[in-house]
Amino acid sequence: GHFMAGGDLVYFAGTLNLPEEERYQKGLAAIGLVHESIALIRALPKPVLASAQGAVAGFGVSLLSACDLAIVADNLKLTSAYCQMGLSPDGGFTYFLPRIMGEKRAKAVTLLNDVYSAEQALALGLVNEVVSVADLPEATIQLARRLVQAPAHAVAQSKGLLNASLGRRLDEQLSAEQQSFAGCMLTSDFATRV
């Protein structure tokens, strides 16, 4: 019934009696694990589709943002929760949010800890589609089918180009697009579809 309510507070509470250096190392290790999952989502040549309902907080927002597409139920409630817990964001939260919604909106979401509805998340650009809770499973399957029907090589190339675009100058991106386009012309999918 919920996508992700954020970090494991019981785990974090268990670190409070540790010496500071040990608590710091535990924090590094825990966040290192979740960061591996974000890196894998972004590196995967196939599109990753998030299907979410209910609570989305903390790392759940990062996870939702890292996915290539997101379809959510109308009962979604999204919040940063980090600053409220005395923490700064993780999971690429500060990387994805400014790129998705702009710096000012990202700062408001991060610093104010407001709760956003599914429609507000859609307006902010955090999700692609809002459906009823009852329709979420079928709508997710339909969206996944659309992705599967597209030529895999072209989809992988397109995802890679989009992921890399914000770290490149225009001339670098144009060169990457040129090389990718010409490479796609060598695939059987291209020949069949033309």
Side-chain angles (χ1 to χ4, degrees), residues 12-186:
F12 292 125
T15 68
L16 293 176
N17 293 326
L18 297 175
E20 283 188 4
E21 181 58 28
E22 190 175 345
R23 189 182 332 159
Y24 179 76
Q25 291 303 321
K26 288 232 182 232
L28 290 177
I31 300 309
L33 287 174
V34 298
H35 283 183
E36 286 178 27
S37 65
I38 297 298
L40 288 171
I41 288 170
R42 298 304 282 188
L44 190 68
K46 298 177 186 300
V48 177
L49 170 60
S51 178
Q53 63 178 309
V56 179
F59 179 72
V61 178
S62 300
L63 186 58
L64 187 77
S65 300
C67 292
D68 300 303
L69 297 173
I71 185 168
V72 301
D74 55 9
N75 72 342
L76 185 97
K77 296 293 180 204
L78 183 144
T79 186
S80 166
Y82 286 107
C83 290
Q84 186 175 2
M85 298 304 302
L87 295 167
S88 60
D90 65 346
F93 190 101
T94 60
Y95 176 87
F96 297 118
L97 265 64
R99 287 164 170 78
I100 291 170
M101 65 180 68
E103 182 181 350
K104 293 289 188 197
R105 287 180 173 175
K107 285 181 178 175
V109 170
T110 306
L111 304 176
L112 300 176
N113 297 300
D114 290 337
V115 176
Y116 296 87
S117 69
E119 290 298 332
Q120 289 171 314
L122 179 65
L124 289 170
L126 285 168
V127 303
N128 301 96
E129 186 177 354
V130 177
V131 298
S132 71
V133 174
D135 292 338
L136 183 62
E138 183 58 31
T140 301
I141 289 168
Q142 292 303 320
L143 185 54
R145 283 187 180 136
R146 288 181 61 195
L147 290 169
V148 169
Q149 292 171 354
H153 181 76
V155 168
Q157 291 297 304
S158 298
K159 176 179 174 173
L161 285 166
L162 289 165
N163 284 348
S165 68
L166 292 173
R168 291 183 176 148
R169 297 185 322 262
L170 176 59
D171 62 317
E172 294 170 327
Q173 188 67 10
L174 290 174
S175 176
E177 285 181 357
Q178 180 181 20
Q179 292 170 26
S180 179
F181 188 100
C184 285
M185 290 178 67
L186 303 178

